[in-house]
Amino acid sequence: MKKIEAIIRPEKLEPVRTALAEIGVFGMTVSEVSGRGRQMGVALQWRVGEYRVEFLPKVKIEAVVLDEDVGKTLNIIVRKARTGDRGDGKIFVLPVDNAIRIRTGDEGESAI
Amino acid sequence: MKKIEAIIRPEKLEPVRTALAEIGVFGMTVSEVSGRGRQMGVALQWRVGEYRVEFLPKVKIEAVVLDEDVGKTLNIIVRKARTGDRGDGKIFVLPVDNAIRIRTGDEGESAI
Amino acid sequence: MKKIEAIIRPEKLEPVRTALAEIGVFGMTVSEVSGRGRQMGVALQWRVGEYRVEFLPKVKIEAVVLDEDVGKTLNIIVRKARTGDRGDGKIFVLPVDNAIRIRTGDEGESAI
Amino acid sequence: MVNNGDTAWLLVSAALVMLMTPGLALFYGGMVRRKNVLSTIMMSFVLLGLIGLLWLLYGYSLGFGPNLGGIIGNLDFVGLRNVGQSPSAVYATTVPQLAYMIFQAMFAVITVALWTGGVVERTKFSAFLILAVLWFTVVYCPVAHWVWGHGGWLAKLGVLDFAGGIVVHISAGMSALALALLLRPRKGFKEKEPMEPHNIPMVIMGTGLLWFGWFGFNAGSALTSGGLASSAFVATNASAAAAALTWMVLGWIHRRPSVLGVATGAVAGLAAVTPAAGFIPPLAGVPIGIVAAVICYYCMVLRAKGGIDESLDVWAVHGMGGIWGTLAVGIFASVAVNSAGANGLIHGSGIQLAKQLAGVASVATFAFVATWVLGKIVDRIIGLRVKEDEEVVGLDISQHGERAYGGISP
Amino acid sequence: MVNNGDTAWLLVSAALVMLMTPGLALFYGGMVRRKNVLSTIMMSFVLLGLIGLLWLLYGYSLGFGPNLGGIIGNLDFVGLRNVGQSPSAVYATTVPQLAYMIFQAMFAVITVALWTGGVVERTKFSAFLILAVLWFTVVYCPVAHWVWGHGGWLAKLGVLDFAGGIVVHISAGMSALALALLLRPRKGFKEKEPMEPHNIPMVIMGTGLLWFGWFGFNAGSALTSGGLASSAFVATNASAAAAALTWMVLGWIHRRPSVLGVATGAVAGLAAVTPAAGFIPPLAGVPIGIVAAVICYYCMVLRAKGGIDESLDVWAVHGMGGIWGTLAVGIFASVAVNSAGANGLIHGSGIQLAKQLAGVASVATFAFVATWVLGKIVDRIIGLRVKEDEEVVGLDISQHGERAYGGISP
Amino acid sequence: MVNNGDTAWLLVSAALVMLMTPGLALFYGGMVRRKNVLSTIMMSFVLLGLIGLLWLLYGYSLGFGPNLGGIIGNLDFVGLRNVGQSPSAVYATTVPQLAYMIFQAMFAVITVALWTGGVVERTKFSAFLILAVLWFTVVYCPVAHWVWGHGGWLAKLGVLDFAGGIVVHISAGMSALALALLLRPRKGFKEKEPMEPHNIPMVIMGTGLLWFGWFGFNAGSALTSGGLASSAFVATNASAAAAALTWMVLGWIHRRPSVLGVATGAVAGLAAVTPAAGFIPPLAGVPIGIVAAVICYYCMVLRAKGGIDESLDVWAVHGMGGIWGTLAVGIFASVAVNSAGANGLIHGSGIQLAKQLAGVASVATFAFVATWVLGKIVDRIIGLRVKEDEEVVGLDISQHGERAYGGISP
Ligand SMILES: Nc1ncnc2c1ncn2[C@@H]1O[C@H](COP(=O)(O)OP(=O)(O)O)[C@@H](O)[C@H]1O
Ligand SMILES: Nc1ncnc2c1ncn2[C@@H]1O[C@H](COP(=O)(O)OP(=O)(O)O)[C@@H](O)[C@H]1O
Ligand SMILES: Nc1ncnc2c1ncn2[C@@H]1O[C@H](COP(=O)(O)OP(=O)(O)O)[C@@H](O)[C@H]1O
């Protein structure tokens, strides 16, 4: 099992979600985050001046998937979340020791 | 040390928190997230129609605990967060390399 | 590659961000979280009484960095986020298996 | 004869009182948890439709139609029959009766809305609607007739209620208490789970609109534009100001000066001065407001200690504030201010205080008992309370299929 | 002769109608996605400046200046020339002409604001401003003159429009439809992406202010304080109440009683009663409101089924509501209520209904066609729509360089 | 003799001005950071209590009591002694003196509230309350007397201030500057940390209420209902509209058309036209608004460049807007509009401009100096500023023990 953490543009959540559902990856947890990287921040206006906002809104998808699904999951996310401009985001893959489904108490691979 | 990430129903936060405190697990970080899984989304109303919301509100608890505490922590969470209906959530256990307490600079097990 | 998760006081985000930028750590993802630990919660007022809020606002910084940058990153965060009072927060270091830049598809160290 | 200055003032006042219901929706809506804000707002807002309609159909007739035995109006005014552009012979004789009727409509709407503060976050919406209709018919219309109707028995007794201390605040406050007892506490209340107000700026916005609208409520109740309206206006503001400050000080003594406290104090002061506004010298608003804040504050403490989940304290603020204000008429009233009024204790007579006491006691008892009975009936038939899991998920989703603030959206 | 009761009422009414534009900004702003809320609010709010100014400069003259061939006013009143503290000879003859002029200004502002509901979340701000100026000049001012101007051809025909069913609601509703067709749907609309309203309490707040302000709109249109204003006031509230409840019931039949639905119903009822308020017996507001809710509800269903992204349903609510209400004048009107009015079907004459139909047909057609042409022209010259990535990022940032709710901040 | 049309108008106006204080609370509250929104709102809202009370107790007497040497009113009106339902002999002679008194009360409240915009996000609440009482007593009441009091020295000099350009805006603006200098910048200001407004829709909501209420402020200051009120109403709207648009254009030239900019411009236009509204031909509101936007815009740029953290720019908008508007009386005024006024430059006389200059200079200086001294005293005794960690945590929690928006809740 691996945990996939993808930081993507908010407007790409819908396409990514739909495409993942098509390959059977349903379970995921999503949150609104603020990101910073090569994409510069944005200048916003105040009444007469402007100020820089360093962090831009991003969406973080967290999905724990079976080892054999990691490849295709990454693939789909990269394909669906890309625009080619700076700020498309990153995907990180982290090891997971165990998973439990609270409803049933199932552990391990059958839990996800 | 392990990092425990539990995605639970928002209304279960209070019972889980209290029960964990009883076994000495105090430190934790909590955030509001949106989840998707076997539990279907929910249909909400618009002025005359409806639309589906795919993601439901969940709460994510993150707690780094000593290896020996992992078992009982999982146990408590499963017991306190369960309703038996779809959507109860998941717990993931992730390895942690190191921990530091910012206030003191302590590293490792003594930091948590 | 390691993932550094730092839970800090909200007002320390700016100094930490600036100091990290100076040593070349630009990429990061930030979110608003609620934390609990040795720092007690806070008592807030209701119309005539008060109630305890167990969770206090914190900011979580997530940054994936190269192995060789872990030390100095931790160092900076500890230095810049410390006040010496309870509630300064924690830093956790987690292993990362892989990283991908969505824009280019680059994998591994070159992705971050 | 219609006077167009008076009519302008009464129409404006009707509009101001109308605005109080959305104001109350925000005041209450900001104090509940995020998952119940729409439900809370809806329980006020929908009454602009429901009670607004029933008032035209039969409410005005029951309340202000020609008197039947001091108890209720007859059906002469049903469906606005005989209610037209010329003035009534007995009410507000310088403005079109339609204007007086619609001014009164707004009072009926907000009175029902007021007691919803006692039952938020757990009441089934369908049951609420039925209860609202029953309560309006069985409690509000009769009480309005007793106190304000031409020939109403409390009116004949000489009970004075300028703008609704009895009719509005006591009846709503006692009813909220009865219903809260019937419904029992929200899940988590006994366990002292924090029920943090989800949006205090929304509460303040609501308070601002309430205060603003209250000028129509109280000064509009002069039913003419001129000296009396001005006097009532000043008394209203004086009491609100004094009570807001007093509440702040009380909160400060125990903890810190709270924003929610200032808002609550202002509402307590406004409620308390309502029955008195047009009978008292305007400066008497100050002691009325100060005492109102003290009484309401400690009643709230008491209610909380008693473990009663009368959730937004309608009893403590409106019920007890209204009782104090109604009695205060018997203390501060002066015929020099309003010749249609009376002299209170300070101006030499204790009789009025006794009358006021009679009015308070009878309506407080009636409202509490009648509401309890109505609530029991509705509870038996369809159940007053949502199911536990509906309460847990929140009433916005379970009752209305909506959520207040959109989630993650592209 | 200036009457100061009437003037007080008209000035208050002007202020109330002014408040409707911020109210509408919130009503619309709460229904869009978070990334477009400022843009949506701005498209209403900026008109207080833009149209507010143009009305003084030439709008009032085109609308209400001495008549040129029944089509338009001349330039006698440009820059408020000849518009002073004494009453006009032909409009509102008991109040200063300045008061009448500014009351009318507020109508012009909100009419333009109304149709922005059809084009939110995708319109380029610069193009919008140009379109607003053109529309105001080419559509609003002439139509106002036809219907309300002394000598306007529809007025001469005997078409009745008490407070703007034709001038305001039909013209805005048909124009919103034309522009929505021109602009095509928002990105994601065809794919049925959820476009969740980001803040429903904001919508309710807006509805409360609209309802409140509508008393100035409709009862203020009596232009005097007294019986007629009172009657229009009551009819307005009756229709709003009936429509709000009806919409709730319709929603409940299909799903659950929706808070957004009650708000929408109230607005539909208010829009529908607008042309009728001062011509009908007040209780006729009830059937007008009920039918309005049914018509608007199913028109909204239809619009959605048709795949047309007239985003906030200005056509269904204001256009169709306004058409129904204008025809309803021909059904319910009675000279017993307003001697300057007429008798409708129920009171014995079908002629008025025919006249109303003529008014509806001509203005609906004109507004749709003229707006389409204006939209096409602006689109050709500078493009009506933002670029795709600007739409994706949201108009708040792309058009205004601002975001509504601050991010993480120390 | 009390005229009930005039009284209706003045009471409505008083209510409208009252609503401006909650409006201002939202206007300011939306512009600060999330952690300080309640504190910011409170600094306005609590004044409805504090100043509302003090005005009755002694403020009205100091401001409008029988004159002592041109400087201050005597104590004849303390505690509303001699202030009753009949008109004053010298002020607003057609309305009850109580109505005039309470109308003036609302001005006092909002004037104090205005300068809080300069000191938000760092002022200790207890110190603020003390300062507010002192400022009200030592600055507001005397200045009101000088300009508006019967026998006040500036009034006798012939300085004209229709609705408070000097008394309200200049005094608040200069005082905000003095206090901001005393308090020094917020932590993070020098480091250019972003201080993003946390809720711009809240700012717009506040602006809408301010604009609405300002009709009471300016047109109400005619103190009668009729031609003059209508004229002032139109001038007010003209200036607001022109200034809102102008600010938008200025912002567009440098960057993009900002929503916050339109709101700010509107307020600048409203502030600037305040002293002039009832003395000028209504169309003169247009140039007054345009120039106001330009002046205030660049003063704001200047202030920011100067590194002065006068946080919400009360000086730039109200101070400088008020100065410009007061001088504009000397340019545009015409006795044809108001026979109690004067002719300005355009209508043939330069004298009035000189008088206006005298009024501006004396009050601007006095307000700045007196406020500085009062601020210094309070700072010495209990400290004006919160401790650093209190500022960092936010004033909502540190001063009031509350937070605006609930956290994670079940
Ligand atoms: N090292 C990192 N650790 C964690 N998150 C990162 C890191 N680098 C980038 N991110 C996240 O990815 C987002 C996009 O990164 P950015 O460098 O701007 O664009 P790109 O990946 O297209 O070059 C950032 O806004 C941030 O949320
Ligand atoms: N594979 C997964 N990765 C990450 N989060 C998941 C995953 N599966 C489920 N979740 C989270 O757990 C929540 C509950 O899961 P769900 O499948 O709906 O219920 P249950 O676990 O009771 O079958 C989801 O809403 C989501 O937040
Ligand atoms: N074991 C833990 N797991 C996850 N987060 C923790 C843990 N312990 C503390 N935290 C986070 O760190 C924050 C600060 O911890 P706290 O114990 O209050 O202060 P300190 O680290 O200074 O002793 C908490 O609010 C919480 O967000």
Side-chain angles (χ1 to χ4, degrees), chain B residues 27-29 62-64 103, chain C residues 7 35-39 87-90:
Chain B
M28 64 177 69
T29 301
E62 295 169 275
V64 173
R103 173 161 51 93
Chain C
I7 325 284
R36 192 178 137 71
R38 306 233 165 131
Q39 183 187 20
D88 277 353
K90 305 272 196 267

Side-chain angles (χ1 to χ4, degrees), chain E residues 235-256:
Chain E
T236 299
N237 206 61
S239 179
L245 279 189
T246 305
W247 199 292
M248 182 184 80
V249 171
L250 292 170
W252 211 335
I253 291 172
H254 293 104
R255 271 167 303 266
R256 261 171 287 178

Side-chain angles (χ1 to χ4, degrees), chain B residues 22-96:
Chain B
E22 278 164 20
I23 61 158
V25 175
F26 285 105
M28 64 177 69
T29 301
V30 166
S31 46
E32 297 187 83
V33 298
S34 303
R36 192 178 135 72
R38 305 229 167 134
Q39 183 187 22
M40 306 281 295
V42 65
L44 295 181
Q45 294 192 60
W46 179 234
R47 292 152 124 195
V48 294
E50 63 181 30
Y51 56 92
R52 270 210 93 61
V53 167
E54 298 286 343
F55 293 97
L56 296 172
K58 301 281 168 193
V59 158
K60 178 164 80 168
I61 301 178
E62 295 169 275
V64 173
V65 299
L66 300 183
D67 290 344
E68 60 260 36
D69 292 337
V70 171
K72 60 182 179 185
T73 305
L74 296 180
N75 229 322
I76 294 264
I77 299 180
V78 169
R79 229 171 48 223
K80 290 294 174 181
R82 177 184 290 166
T83 68
D85 291 332
R86 290 187 166 187
D88 276 352
K90 306 271 196 266
I91 315 178
F92 305 118
V93 182
L94 284 79
V96 174

Side-chain angles (χ1 to χ4, degrees), chain F residues 75-365:
Chain F
L75 301 183
D76 279 9
F77 294 167
V78 155
L80 301 186
R81 252 192 321 148
N82 305 311
V83 180
Q85 297 189 17
S86 53
S88 149
V90 290
Y91 309 113
T93 54
T94 63
V95 302
Q97 188 169 187
L98 280 168
Y100 180 69
M101 183 281 301
I102 199 74
F103 179 64
Q104 286 297 340
M106 304 309 178
F107 282 68
V109 170
I110 195 167
T111 305
V112 184
L114 275 173
W115 58 248
T116 66
V119 303
V120 291
E121 306 203 282
R122 58 201 186 285
T123 304
K124 197 191 285 181
F125 185 64
S126 55
F128 163 69
L129 289 181
I130 295 169
L131 187 60
V133 173
L134 292 175
W135 192 88
F136 165 73
T137 312
V138 176
V139 179
Y140 186 80
C141 292
V143 170
H145 188 79
W146 301 352
V147 178
W148 289 335
H150 188 69
W153 72 273
L154 286 171
K156 275 201 298 213
L157 192 67
V159 174
L160 295 175
D161 182 5
F162 194 71
I166 298 177
V167 179
V168 174
H169 296 287
I170 296 179
S171 72
M174 298 309 297
S175 301
L177 185 63
L179 292 170
L181 290 169
L182 255 179
L183 269 168
R184 286 181 313 276
R186 290 166 289 178
K187 192 173 147 55
F189 179 83
K190 295 278 184 209
E191 299 76 25
K192 299 207 186 306
E193 272 180 28
M195 307 219 174
E196 198 177 358
H198 92 289
N199 192 330
I200 298 182
M202 185 186 279
V203 178
I204 300 299
M205 173 79 244
T207 311
L209 293 180
L210 285 170
W211 192 324
F212 175 61
W214 228 296
F215 293 127
F217 205 93
N218 285 4
S221 288
L223 303 175
T224 53
S225 164
L228 184 60
S230 305
S231 185
F233 193 114
V234 174
T236 299
N237 205 63
S239 178
L245 280 188
T246 305
W247 199 292
M248 181 184 80
V249 171
L250 291 171
W252 212 334
I253 291 170
H254 293 104
R255 269 167 304 266
R256 260 170 291 178
S258 139
V259 178
L260 210 51
V262 168
T264 307
V267 173
L270 289 161
V273 81
T274 294
F279 295 123
I280 56 167
L283 206 71
V286 176
I288 288 180
I290 292 173
V291 174
V294 175
I295 291 177
C296 298
Y297 187 96
Y298 289 104
C299 284
M300 216 183 259
V301 172
L302 207 76
R303 190 276 305 155
K305 285 229 175 92
I308 299 169
D309 187 14
E310 205 267 85
S311 315
L312 305 179
D313 282 299
V314 187
W315 170 77
V317 172
H318 296 274
M320 294 309 294
I323 288 177
W324 155 242
T326 304
L327 298 179
V329 174
I331 301 172
F332 297 102
S334 157
V335 291
V337 171
N338 184 344
S339 58
N343 279 325
L345 264 189
I346 290 178
H347 297 90
S349 155
I351 300 171
Q352 190 59 35
L353 186 54
K355 292 181 183 174
Q356 298 300 102
L357 207 57
V360 164
S362 50
V363 173
T365 314

Side-chain angles (χ1 to χ4, degrees), chain E residues 13-393:
Chain E
S13 293
L16 286 170
V17 181
M18 177 267 151
L19 188 62
M20 292 175 73
T21 293
L24 189 72
L26 297 176
F27 181 75
Y28 283 169
M31 277 194 279
V32 299
R33 287 166 292 172
R34 196 175 296 122
K35 64 185 177 185
N36 295 319
V37 51
L38 291 181
S39 146
T40 301
I41 285 176
M42 180 77 153
M43 288 207 284
S44 290
F45 201 83
V46 73
L47 300 171
L48 282 167
L50 184 65
I51 305 298
L53 195 60
L54 297 185
W55 187 255
L56 305 184
L57 298 185
Y58 65 82
Y60 180 65
S61 200
L62 295 186
F64 296 89
N67 177 48
L68 289 177
I71 300 301
I72 194 84
N74 73 13
L75 302 182
D76 279 9
F77 294 168
V78 156
L80 300 185
R81 251 191 323 145
N82 307 310
V83 180
Q85 297 189 17
S86 52
S88 150
V90 291
Y91 309 112
T93 53
T94 62
V95 302
Q97 188 169 188
L98 280 168
Y100 180 69
M101 184 281 301
I102 198 73
F103 180 63
Q104 286 298 340
M106 303 310 179
F107 281 68
V109 170
I110 195 167
T111 304
V112 183
L114 276 174
W115 58 249
T116 66
V119 304
V120 291
E121 306 204 277
R122 58 200 186 285
T123 305
K124 198 191 285 180
F125 185 65
S126 55
F128 163 70
L129 289 181
I130 295 170
L131 186 60
V133 172
L134 292 175
W135 191 90
F136 165 73
T137 312
V138 175
V139 179
Y140 186 81
C141 292
V143 170
H145 188 78
W146 302 352
V147 178
W148 288 336
H150 188 69
W153 72 273
L154 287 172
K156 277 202 297 210
L157 190 69
V159 174
L160 295 175
D161 182 5
F162 194 70
I166 299 177
V167 178
V168 174
H169 296 287
I170 296 180
S171 72
M174 297 309 297
S175 301
L177 185 62
L179 292 171
L181 289 169
L182 255 180
L183 269 168
R184 289 182 308 279
R186 288 165 289 179
K187 194 172 147 53
F189 179 83
K190 295 280 185 205
E191 299 76 24
K192 299 206 185 308
E193 271 179 28
M195 307 218 172
E196 199 176 359
H198 93 290
N199 193 330
I200 298 184
M202 185 187 279
V203 177
I204 300 299
M205 173 80 244
T207 310
L209 293 180
L210 284 170
W211 191 325
F212 175 62
W214 227 297
F215 293 127
F217 205 93
N218 286 4
S221 288
L223 305 175
T224 53
S225 164
L228 184 60
S230 304
S231 184
F233 193 115
V234 175
T236 299
N237 206 61
S239 179
L245 279 189
T246 305
W247 199 292
M248 182 184 80
V249 171
L250 292 170
W252 211 335
I253 291 172
H254 293 104
R255 271 167 303 266
R256 261 171 287 178
S258 138
V259 178
L260 210 51
V262 167
T264 306
V267 172
L270 289 161
V273 82
T274 295
F279 296 123
I280 57 166
L283 205 71
V286 175
I288 289 179
I290 293 174
V291 175
V294 175
I295 291 177
C296 298
Y297 187 95
Y298 288 106
C299 284
M300 215 183 258
V301 172
L302 207 78
R303 192 274 307 156
K305 284 229 175 91
I308 300 169
D309 186 14
E310 203 269 83
S311 315
L312 304 179
D313 283 298
V314 188
W315 170 76
V317 173
H318 297 274
M320 294 308 295
I323 288 177
W324 155 243
T326 304
L327 299 178
V329 175
I331 301 173
F332 296 102
S334 157
V335 292
V337 172
N338 183 343
S339 58
N343 278 324
L345 264 187
I346 287 178
H347 296 91
S349 155
I351 300 172
Q352 190 59 35
L353 186 54
K355 292 180 182 172
Q356 296 302 102
L357 207 57
V360 165
S362 50
V363 173
T365 313
F366 172 71
F368 186 90
V369 174
T371 306
W372 174 281
V373 172
L374 294 178
K376 233 5 200 199
I377 293 172
V378 176
D379 196 28
R380 281 285 155 79
I381 300 176
I382 67 160
L384 274 178
R385 191 156 175 155
V386 297
K387 279 181 259 151
E388 192 180 318
D389 60 338
E390 292 177 325
E391 188 175 340
V392 161
V393 166

Side-chain angles (χ1 to χ4, degrees), chain A residues 2-4 25-30 62-65 100-104 111-112, chain B residues 7-9 33-40 54-58 84-92:
Chain A
K2 296 290 176 193
K3 183 174 181 216
I4 295 180
V25 174
F26 285 105
M28 63 177 70
T29 300
V30 166
E62 294 170 274
V64 173
V65 298
I100 298 167
R101 165 174 294 121
I102 292 173
R103 173 161 50 93
T104 57
I112 65 174
Chain B
I7 323 286
I8 61 170
R9 296 181 190 274
V33 298
S34 303
R36 192 178 135 72
R38 305 229 167 134
Q39 183 187 22
M40 306 281 295
E54 298 286 343
F55 293 97
L56 296 172
K58 301 281 168 193
D85 291 332
R86 290 187 166 187
D88 276 352
K90 306 271 196 266
I91 315 178
F92 305 118

Side-chain angles (χ1 to χ4, degrees), chain D residues 280-281 284 287-288 324 328-334 342-350 352-353:
Chain D
I280 57 167
I288 289 180
W324 154 243
V329 174
I331 301 173
F332 297 101
S334 158
N343 278 325
L345 265 188
I346 288 178
H347 297 91
S349 156
Q352 191 57 35
L353 186 53

